[in-house]
Amino acid sequence: MEAIGMSLQDFMAKIALPAAAQSIIVRTRLSLPWWQKALSANPSKFQDRLLANPELALAVLTDLAAEDSAYYPAHGLSPQVYYDSYRDLTLWAQDHYAKTGTWGITEVPWLMRTLQHRLVRLGRLQFEPLTAPADHHLLSLSDTWLNVHIPADGPLLPAECTASFDQANTYFQRDWFCCHSWLLSPDLQQLLPAHSHILGFQRWFTIVADFPNDRQAEERIFGAPLADPAKYPETTSLQRAAKQYLLSSRKIGTALGVFQYHR
């Protein structure tokens, strides 16, 4: 594929990074070769330095992403896959702003997966190859998997999910998929209508393990888990339903699901 060439400003526009966040990145003076070497030579130190400074993390991760365009055409991936994969920068910068009122990024370990080419977004979904996973639920079926992640930037439309699974199957040449998420929680069947896109996404998977004490759902639905569910907001229909569910002394956990893809 043809090489992708663009400036930092063009890249930030392509991933729809807000102007206020862009201004922080532009005015931050970086030694980019030093950060590139740090990511390669000492990922742990790279991670710790950025976790201590969310604003610096925003600048470093975005600059490194803007310099990563050559990898994608060299591996048969389109410019759109490049932009889509790094749109996570925008999602997590916006998440940080919503929680703190400042622009930055704290999801450094997560975004390092994309910079290290362990994670790629193909359409609606993200995929991460797993080899010889430690989880016995997975090893009993296959020793190679595609781990599915769901970016929080839109509905899980059935046609888009099908297209993503098809692209991942073709690109990675793997047909076993796994996902550990609150979106697979069986409790959601008590909270959502039967036609819900989330429940439609669940139907792809066979649940092999559930984790009722995992509070990821509360973090995703309400922004952060609280000790007292009575204090949760009720802005959306899902928030209202989830709040009442939790107030009745029930839990919304997570689950691990698997399926084998067939064209």
Side-chain angles (χ1 to χ4, degrees):
M1 287 190 177
E2 186 177 348
I4 308 167
M6 66 176 60
S7 66
L8 172 62
Q9 286 75 11
D10 289 339
F11 170 75
M12 292 190 293
K14 286 286 190 181
I15 64 171
L17 197 64
Q22 291 190 33
S23 67
I24 290 172
I25 294 163
V26 169
R27 72 170 183 255
T28 303
R29 301 180 65 85
L30 297 173
S31 172
L32 200 56
W34 188 92
W35 285 104
Q36 289 171 323
K37 182 178 179 180
L39 175 62
S40 175
N42 197 333
S44 179
K45 183 178 179 181
F46 174 94
Q47 174 180 299
D48 290 345
R49 290 195 63 168
L50 295 189
L51 284 173
N53 189 333
E55 186 174 297
L56 178 63
L58 172 64
V60 170
L61 295 173
T62 304
D63 270 284
L64 290 177
E67 293 293 315
D68 193 38
S69 61
Y71 175 87
Y72 289 79
H75 289 79
L77 296 167
S78 70
Q80 192 61 52
V81 171
Y82 168 55
Y83 306 136
D84 287 348
S85 294
Y86 279 115
R87 200 161 66 238
D88 253 10
L89 288 163
T90 300
L91 296 178
W92 289 114
Q94 291 172 327
D95 179 76
H96 187 272
Y97 185 82
K99 291 177 178 176
T100 68
T102 62
W103 290 103
I105 284 178
T106 53
E107 294 290 331
V108 176
W110 171 255
L111 290 163
M112 285 172 63
R113 299 186 191 192
T114 305
L115 284 169
Q116 294 170 325
H117 307 129
R118 294 186 286 139
L119 183 77
V120 64
R121 180 166 180 172
L122 299 171
R124 179 64 186 88
L125 304 170
Q126 295 166 313
F127 300 93
E128 177 185 20
L130 299 179
T131 301
D135 193 306
H136 70 277
H137 296 99
L138 304 182
L139 279 174
S140 64
L141 296 171
S142 172
D143 59 1
T144 58
W145 290 86
L146 283 177
N147 198 8
V148 183
H149 302 283
I150 309 100
D153 62 352
L156 287 167
L157 299 177
E160 292 184 359
C161 292
T162 299
S164 284
F165 288 130
D166 190 58
Q167 289 179 68
N169 172 255
T170 299
Y171 181 70
F172 290 104
Q173 292 295 295
R174 296 189 182 193
D175 59 1
W176 279 99
F177 292 78
C178 63
C179 181
H180 181 188
S181 173
W182 73 276
L183 292 170
L184 297 186
S185 170
D187 298 277
L188 294 178
Q189 296 171 22
Q190 308 299 317
L191 301 176
L192 299 172
H195 63 269
S196 161
H197 291 315
I198 292 176
L199 297 188
F201 180 76
Q202 285 190 359
R203 294 183 192 109
W204 281 93
F205 295 87
T206 297
I207 303 303
V208 295
D210 65 277
F211 308 89
N213 295 318
D214 192 328
R215 302 185 71 188
Q216 183 190 71
E218 293 172 69
E219 180 182 358
R220 296 292 188 265
I221 295 170
F222 300 107
L226 300 176
D228 182 3
K231 295 181 179 179
Y232 282 139
E234 300 182 54
T235 305
T236 68
S237 59
L238 179 56
Q239 286 180 341
R240 290 190 290 272
K243 181 175 179 177
Q244 292 305 310
Y245 195 78
L246 295 166
L247 286 170
S248 66
S249 299
R250 291 176 288 183
K251 299 177 181 180
I252 307 171
T254 61
L256 172 65
V258 303
F259 78 93
Q260 187 174 23
Y261 183 79
H262 299 285
R263 291 180 181 274

